[in-house]
């Protein structure tokens, strides 16, 4: 942690650390929000009354459960499942499920905490939650994935529901896993309750644009940021980290808007393709064959480099979109990007930049957007999926994409105006955190101490 917390807020932060020992990702997420509350600490005590801050940092409910499943060889495996139901001041808990070996309570709590403010920023009636498991889908057979998802849902089903808690995908959980999860929920409950999960397939209650929404939304948000400087994506060199759901559709939208993505990555390295990433090839490798990115260089030809060791952020670019995972862009990477003339960083992933990296970007005066604003298009489109499910309706791709773009523009305006109102023009971190926090706090006061 770099900058100092306001003295009135420091005891709250100390209490979070003491009550949640060792949960460093959760501490980091809370730190970022508390730092942004500095302008209200002195001037707007109504936003700290009735211990709102203390209550907002304490999940309403934390569920941890055993997930037993059988491998193809007949061995019994045990994973740990999580669902942290953080806050329902604005609506049912809403947030994705992550399947990755690094998952633990701290990671799920940081994601759930961020989700509360992100969901508030979207302007939609959704609270915040997050879940997942330390299960590693890599190298598992189709049948093993299905058995795991069925076992996971056999416990989770009793905690979720259209008006209670609505999970979606995240790292390691895409259309395939959501299908198995929804199938098991439907079987156990004997109801076709479409609104219980989002990110569903188009033929079984899903929404157009949900697959593309987080990546597209991040780029729409970045486009708004560029607009404040009279610029656009046209002709820009862009680097995107990751090659999963968010990264692929961020790349697609950048190319549609006239920019060129020249590098992307996975957890085994990165590729540099000066002609622009070939999306058909990337989708075939990552979405269809679920293979490694090194295959991209082998199939694309000699002009493309695959770098197994090294930092993607050393590749010179004007725009950087971190779309892989938390804390993937540290101080040294931020310095390399700035030395190479980066002009804008917008987060597609959750908390990909460390506090040190954010300090460096803000100190250099470049455009920087935190994920809870710039990647909110995914959950916003999930809320559109819930609307379609509730009204037994489905909208066209064009209509849904237009709504997504309007939502991203509105979130951008909310961030800009809030930052200006509190004397921090251009500070998207403060704008996002303050706007997100104030809306939740107002609702929590109205609902009483619960
Ligand atoms: P995917 O599982 O589809 O893709 C994740 C990508 O990031 C993969 O390329 C993966 O590489 C890489 N990655 C994951 N962990 C690491 C790691 N520890 N080090 C290096 N690379 C890593 O996930 P999503 O695209 O859905 O999610 C990416 C980020 O976006 C996450 O932070 C998620 O929370 C956030 N997000 C996602 C939303 C969504 O709608 N999906 C909504 C809002 C935010 P590999 O294949 O090698 O593991």
């Amino acid at each position: 942690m770099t900058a100092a917390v306001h003295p009135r807020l420091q005891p709250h932060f100390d209490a979070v650390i003491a009550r949640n020992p060792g949960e460093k990702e959760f501490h980091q997420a809370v730190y970022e929000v508390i730092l942004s509350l500095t302008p209200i600490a002195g001037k707007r005590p109504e936003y700290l009354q009735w211990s709102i801050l203390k209550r907002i940092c304490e999940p309403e409910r934390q569920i941890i459960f055993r997930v037993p499943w059988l491998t193809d060889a007949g061995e019994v495996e045990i994973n740990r499942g999580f669902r942290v139901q953080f806050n329902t001041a604005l609506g049912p808990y809403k947030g994705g499920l992550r399947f990755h070996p690094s998952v633990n309570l701290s990671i799920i709590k940081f994601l759930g905490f961020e989700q509360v403010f992100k969901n508030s920023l979207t302007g939609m009636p959704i609270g915040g939650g997050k879940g997942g498991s330390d299960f590693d889908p890599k190298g598992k057979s189709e049948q093993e994935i299905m058995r795991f998802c069925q076992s996971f849902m056999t416990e989770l089903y009793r905690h979720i529901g259209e008006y209670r808690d609505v999970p979606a995908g995240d790292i390691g959980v895409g259309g395939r896993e959501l299908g198995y999860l929804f199938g098991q929920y439907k079987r156990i409950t004997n109801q076709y309750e479409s609104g219980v999960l989002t990110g569903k397939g188009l033929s079984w209650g899903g929404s157009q644009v949900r697959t593309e929404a987080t990546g597209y939304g991040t780029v729409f948000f970045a486009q708004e940021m560029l607009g404040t400087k009279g610029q656009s994506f046209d002709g820009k060199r862009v680097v995107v980290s990751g090659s999963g759901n968010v990264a692929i559709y961020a790349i697609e939208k950048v190319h549609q808007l006239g920019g060129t993505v020249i590098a992307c990555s996975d957890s085994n390295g990165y590729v540099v393709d000066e002609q622009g990433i070939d999306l058909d090839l990337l989708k075939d490798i990552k979405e269809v064959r679920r293979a490694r990115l090194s295959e991209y260089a082998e199939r694309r030809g000699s002009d493309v480099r695959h770098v197994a060791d090294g930092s993607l952020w050393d590749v010179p670019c004007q725009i950087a979109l971190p779309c892989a995972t938390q804390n993937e862009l540290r101080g040294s990477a931020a310095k390399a990007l700035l030395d190479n003339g980066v002009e804008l960083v917008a987060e597609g992933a959750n908390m990909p930049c460390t506090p040190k990296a954010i300090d460096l970007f803000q100190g250099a005066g470049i455009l920087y957007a935190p994920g809870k604003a710039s990647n909110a298009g995914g959950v916003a489109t999930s809320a559109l999926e819930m609307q379609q499910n509730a009204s037994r309706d489905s909208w066209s791709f064009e209509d849904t994409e237009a709504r997504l773009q309007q939502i991203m523009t509105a979130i951008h305006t909310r961030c800009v105006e809030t930052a200006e109102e509190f004397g921090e023009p251009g500070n998207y971190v403060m704008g996002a955190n303050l706007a997100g926090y104030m809306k939740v706090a107002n609702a929590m006061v109205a609902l009483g101490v619960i």
Side-chain angles (χ1 to χ4, degrees):
M1 319 289 176
T2 44
V5 170
H6 188 283
R8 280 205 190 168
L9 303 174
Q10 187 67 46
H12 294 286
F13 186 48
D14 292 344
V16 168
I17 292 180
R19 285 170 69 79
N20 305 278
E23 296 180 0
K24 58 184 193 325
E25 292 85 3
F26 179 51
H27 300 168
Q28 185 182 336
V30 172
Y31 169 77
E32 189 191 295
V33 169
I34 286 193
L35 210 55
S36 293
L37 300 186
T38 300
I40 60 174
K43 295 181 213 145
R44 306 282 289 270
E46 70 272 27
Y47 285 113
L48 296 174
Q49 64 177 312
W50 283 10
S51 293
I52 297 172
L53 182 54
K54 209 170 170 181
R55 283 192 286 145
I56 254 179
C57 293
E58 186 71 22
E60 290 175 11
R61 194 173 295 103
Q62 307 181 48
I63 302 151
I64 303 181
F65 51 98
R66 183 174 68 194
V67 190
W69 57 279
L70 285 173
T71 67
D72 290 344
E75 302 289 332
V76 177
E77 293 280 335
I78 303 292
N79 284 97
R80 192 168 280 178
F82 300 88
R83 187 70 185 167
V84 173
Q85 299 181 325
F86 228 106
N87 194 299
T88 42
L90 302 180
Y93 307 108
K94 181 88 200 84
L97 297 172
R98 176 178 293 191
F99 292 168
H100 193 271
S102 64
V103 163
N104 57 34
L105 188 59
S106 172
I107 294 208
I108 298 299
K109 278 167 74 176
F110 113 66
L111 290 163
F113 183 74
E114 291 234 311
Q115 198 81 48
V116 173
F117 306 100
K118 180 191 304 190
N119 294 3
S120 162
L121 269 179
T122 64
M124 327 281 279
I126 41 180
K130 200 84 187 187
S133 174
D134 57 0
F135 173 74
D136 186 359
K138 278 202 197 89
K140 304 291 186 301
S141 72
E142 192 74 24
Q143 289 78 4
E144 287 174 331
I145 300 275
M146 181 166 66
R147 283 196 292 274
F148 176 80
C149 290
Q150 290 173 340
S151 180
F152 185 85
M153 184 53 88
T154 300
E155 172 59 32
L156 187 70
Y157 90 94
R158 68 189 88 244
H159 306 291
I160 62 176
E162 186 180 348
Y163 297 104
R164 182 178 296 162
D165 185 351
V166 184
D170 191 82
I171 291 178
V173 179
R176 173 181 62 169
E177 291 75 19
L178 286 164
Y180 297 144
L181 291 164
F182 184 66
Q184 184 73 350
Y185 182 85
K186 184 173 82 61
R187 184 179 189 197
I188 294 174
T189 60
N190 193 26
Q191 305 191 76
Y192 205 104
E193 187 187 337
S194 303
V196 71
L197 289 177
T198 59
K200 299 181 294 296
L202 292 177
S203 60
W204 42 281
S207 172
Q208 295 283 356
V209 192
R210 178 59 190 90
T211 302
E212 296 83 357
T214 309
Y216 277 20
T218 302
V219 175
F220 285 143
F221 194 93
Q223 188 185 27
E224 292 290 329
M225 296 168 81
L226 288 167
T228 64
K229 306 277 182 202
Q231 295 183 29
S232 74
F233 268 99
D234 207 20
K236 298 277 189 200
R237 273 172 72 89
V238 183
V239 167
V240 175
S241 65
S243 49
N245 172 262
V246 180
I248 284 174
Y249 293 96
I251 296 170
E252 185 162 284
K253 187 51 75 180
V254 169
H255 286 177
Q256 287 173 11
L257 295 178
T260 305
V261 177
I262 42 121
C264 66
S265 61
D266 67 10
S267 53
N268 296 122
Y270 64 91
V271 289
V272 183
D273 185 345
E274 290 290 342
Q275 301 306 309
I277 296 291
D278 178 335
L279 255 185
D280 289 339
L281 179 56
L282 186 66
K283 284 183 182 178
D284 182 58
I285 293 168
K286 285 293 174 183
E287 291 188 329
V288 182
R289 295 172 24 71
R290 299 177 191 270
R292 308 313 300 155
L293 192 59
S294 48
E295 193 180 312
Y296 180 94
E298 287 155 22
R299 285 171 62 184
R300 180 89 155 133
S302 56
D303 290 348
V304 175
R305 283 189 291 139
H306 178 262
V307 183
D309 293 314
S311 169
L312 168 76
W313 307 117
D314 288 339
V315 178
C317 62
Q318 290 154 299
I319 296 176
L321 304 176
C323 296
T325 195
Q326 66 276 356
N327 292 329
E328 54 158 313
L329 201 167
R330 296 175 174 275
S332 53
K335 199 168 169 311
L337 280 167
L338 289 167
D339 288 346
N340 285 328
V342 75
E343 295 158 10
L344 180 152
V345 178
E347 297 181 345
N350 287 313
M351 211 168 75
C353 298
T354 62
K356 177 75 189 156
I358 297 170
D359 255 12
L360 288 168
F361 292 142
Q362 292 189 319
I366 66 155
L367 293 165
Y368 163 73
K372 59 172 81 71
S374 46
N375 74 29
V379 74
T381 308
S382 277
L384 298 179
E385 184 173 330
M386 290 162 74
Q387 280 183 27
Q388 292 169 77
N389 293 150
S391 59
R392 304 277 190 266
D393 198 1
S394 64
W395 309 332
S396 69
F397 191 96
E398 292 69 26
D399 187 23
T400 317
E401 189 184 10
R403 289 183 198 229
L404 167 65
Q405 189 164 7
Q406 280 162 16
I407 291 167
M408 297 316 294
T409 304
I411 295 173
H412 181 267
T413 305
R414 222 163 271 143
C415 291
V416 167
E417 288 181 355
T418 308
E420 278 170 8
E421 182 188 336
F422 288 95
E424 292 277 340
N427 187 336
Y428 286 90
V429 177
M430 239 180 208
N433 284 330
L434 280 166
Y437 176 87
M438 289 190 298
K439 187 168 178 204
V440 178
N442 281 335
M444 287 176 75
V445 169
L447 299 176
V449 178
I450 52 169

